[in-house]
Structures are given as structure tokens and as C-alpha cells.
Amino acid sequence: MKIVTSIEELRDQLSGQLRTAFVPTMGNLHEGHLSLMRLARKHGDPVVASIFVNRLQFGPNEDFDKYPRTFQADVEKLEKEGVYVLFAPTEKDLYPEPQEFRVRPPDDLGNTLEGEFRPGFFTGVTTVVLKLFSCVQPRVAVFGKKDYQQLMIVRNMSRQFALPTEIIAAETYRADDGLALSSRNMYLSPAERAEAPALYQSLNSVAAEVRAGHLDVFQLEHKAMDDLAQRGWQPDYISIRRRIDLQPPSAGDLAQGTPLVVLAAAKLGSTRLIDNLEI
């Protein structure tokens, strides 16, 4: 595996490649990330991964400096997966001058759910993703469904800018007890780790109620949040949305069986977890 840090070096390395498959990451890789690499290999060749902790998507009270950086272990994992190039730029490599041009998602998609609780987050995400796409110029790029809203925003951005990159969605990789794998799981204490699967269980309960014909969305959402709160969680949201645009479903949507997804974010101790489940 070749490790490159500069944009020029990356472009030289990929010159003439027409089927590049790309997986952007912030490092601290786990089995969920590695499953994205395997999916990428099915859709293109060579496979390119990036590791870059993107300051633009961290809020002023978030954990940019504390975000776990495990570069050498990450390299070893990527080598075992047969990744061809690892793009690991420094901030000066990727942002040699202040990144004053930004990509801002539309408010109805970028300022809801995660965007409501993390203002500016998706502007940081879309800006760095567009820049990475410009650097790598991939034919396909793989994003996990665990970050469902991010996946939708990146897919819409790619379509609206007519980027020559197909966005591939990867299913959420879960531990045996249902917990979605996340770099932030390492912050959980043993007791919190034992409790953490309750978030996914809550999503399953909501989904089961919807499938059974319970159409009072507001009641379902609030009951699920109350149940988590009674277990010691601090829920930000549990929300049933239309898959197509992440807007709240109408009565007609519910009656017609419009494809839905239930999304959740909640703090357990000091660790904020997110998850979702398609209905």
C-alpha cells in the first residue's frame, strides 16, 4: 500500500485510473470501516482510502483534539484489506489556504436532525467530501448507512453538481448485540457499553409499531425518547422520517406505506451515539 500526503502525489499515483473506488474516513478504523473497503473493491479498482480528521465539521464544544488518532494501527488494517493508496494529508496539505469557499446543504436537509444539534456540521462534511472527490476523482465512493443523513446529503450533492462519482451505500455494521460500530464506542465505560444496545432496541420497537399500523408518529417518538431517558440516556431525537428526503411523513405517506426510516441520537454518559433503522 502506498501512503501519500500531498494532492500532487495522489494525482500522480492515480493518473490514468478510470475505476477508482474511494472510502473517506477520519481514521481510528474498526471492522465497520473495513467492511466499506471490501464493498468498494466489488465496485471498482484500485481502492483508495483517506484518513483525515476534518476540523471543519467539529463544533466549538466538540472533540476535535480528543478524536482518537490511531494511524499506525489503521495502516496495518488497510494493508490487510488490499487498499492500493492511502491518502493521509495534513491540514496544510488539504487546506493550504483558509477554506473560505464552503458547500452548504439546503436548510431542509442540512439543518434538521443532526444539523439541528450540530450547527454547521454538514457544511463541514460536504466541503471536505467535495474537496476529497476533487483530489481522488473516484468513479465510486462508499459511505455507510449508519450516518444516514450524511449519506443522503453526499448523494444529493454529488447528483446536483453532476459529479462523475456514484455513491454506494453500505449497510450498518453491528456488534453481536446490535450496537452499531463507531469510533466513539471506545469512550464507553464497561457499564455503558452493556447498556448501549438499548438504542438499537428502541429503534426496532418503533419500527415494529409502525409496521403494525400504529400511525401516531408523535406519540411513538416521544414514548421511545421517554423510555431511553428513564434508562439514564439523554436523547436528542428519535424521529420517523421519509427515506427519500428525511422530511416528516404525512398521514398519506403513512397510509400508503411510503418507505420510512427512524433515526436516533442520544448521549449515554458523555458519549453521543447515533443510529437508524429503515422501516
Side-chain angles (χ1 to χ4, degrees):
M1 183 176 73
K2 298 174 177 64
I3 303 174
V4 300
T5 58
S6 76
I7 296 172
E8 289 180 343
E9 194 178 3
L10 175 71
R11 287 177 172 162
D12 285 345
Q13 195 65 52
L14 296 177
S15 178
Q17 298 285 359
L18 300 178
R19 298 185 62 249
T20 300
F22 178 44
V23 184
T25 83
M26 294 208 300
N28 191 31
L29 303 182
H30 50 66
E31 191 62 29
H33 293 110
L34 303 183
S35 71
L36 303 184
M37 308 297 164
R38 296 170 201 140
L39 182 59
R41 191 179 303 111
K42 293 179 180 179
H43 290 273
D45 180 62
V47 175
V48 177
S50 66
I51 293 177
F52 181 69
V53 183
N54 177 41
R55 188 186 298 271
L56 296 186
Q57 68 195 64
F58 285 78
N61 299 315
E62 294 183 332
D63 53 359
F64 175 79
D65 291 323
K66 294 181 181 178
Y67 194 85
R69 291 160 171 84
T70 54
F71 187 74
Q72 194 52 49
D74 294 343
V75 166
E76 293 170 7
K77 291 173 182 175
L78 293 175
E79 285 178 333
K80 289 179 181 177
E81 293 299 329
V83 170
Y84 176 62
V85 172
L86 169 60
F87 182 41
T90 66
E91 286 192 280
K92 287 187 177 181
D93 289 318
L94 201 60
Y95 302 131
E97 57 184 278
Q99 188 67 39
E100 294 169 340
F101 285 87
R102 304 287 178 98
V103 181
R104 197 183 86 181
D107 290 345
D108 62 349
L109 188 55
N111 290 345
T112 187
L113 301 169
E114 283 299 281
E116 178 182 348
F117 289 91
R118 302 180 68 186
F121 170 68
F122 286 119
T123 294
V125 168
T126 48
T127 299
V128 76
V129 168
L130 184 61
K131 191 154 195 179
L132 288 169
F133 282 4
S134 176
C135 296
V136 178
Q137 299 183 13
R139 189 185 72 82
V140 301
V142 179
F143 289 80
K145 281 189 179 181
K146 178 183 155 297
D147 297 292
Y148 202 91
Q149 189 175 7
Q150 172 179 279
L151 167 66
M152 174 164 288
I153 286 173
V154 169
R155 179 172 277 162
N156 289 1
M157 177 189 74
S158 187
R159 185 186 69 250
Q160 287 199 8
F161 279 115
L163 302 180
T165 301
E166 179 186 357
I167 307 302
I168 305 293
E171 296 297 329
T172 300
Y173 200 98
R174 299 185 182 278
D176 290 342
D177 59 7
L179 178 65
L181 265 58
S182 168
S183 297
R184 288 190 168 92
N185 291 353
M186 65 178 293
Y187 297 143
L188 297 169
S189 70
E192 290 167 346
R193 176 60 188 82
E195 168 63 20
L199 185 63
Y200 184 52
Q201 293 163 10
S202 179
L203 294 177
N204 275 284
S205 295
V206 171
E209 291 283 352
V210 173
R211 293 188 188 110
H214 189 144
L215 302 184
D216 189 336
V217 167
F218 183 82
Q219 183 187 44
L220 288 176
E221 292 171 344
H222 280 263
K223 181 180 185 304
M225 291 179 69
D226 288 344
D227 289 347
L228 275 183
Q230 288 176 18
R231 298 179 67 111
W233 293 70
Q234 299 168 270
D236 284 343
Y237 60 82
I238 295 179
S239 188
I240 300 166
R241 300 294 177 103
R242 299 187 305 205
R243 288 188 213 173
I244 191 170
D245 57 9
L246 293 189
Q247 294 305 300
S250 67
D253 292 326
L254 295 167
Q256 295 165 16
T258 296
L260 303 173
V261 58
V262 54
L263 308 102
K267 269 190 175 181
L268 184 57
S270 60
T271 305
R272 188 174 184 272
L273 302 177
I274 66 170
D275 204 349
N276 65 81
L277 182 65
E278 291 181 329
I279 304 174

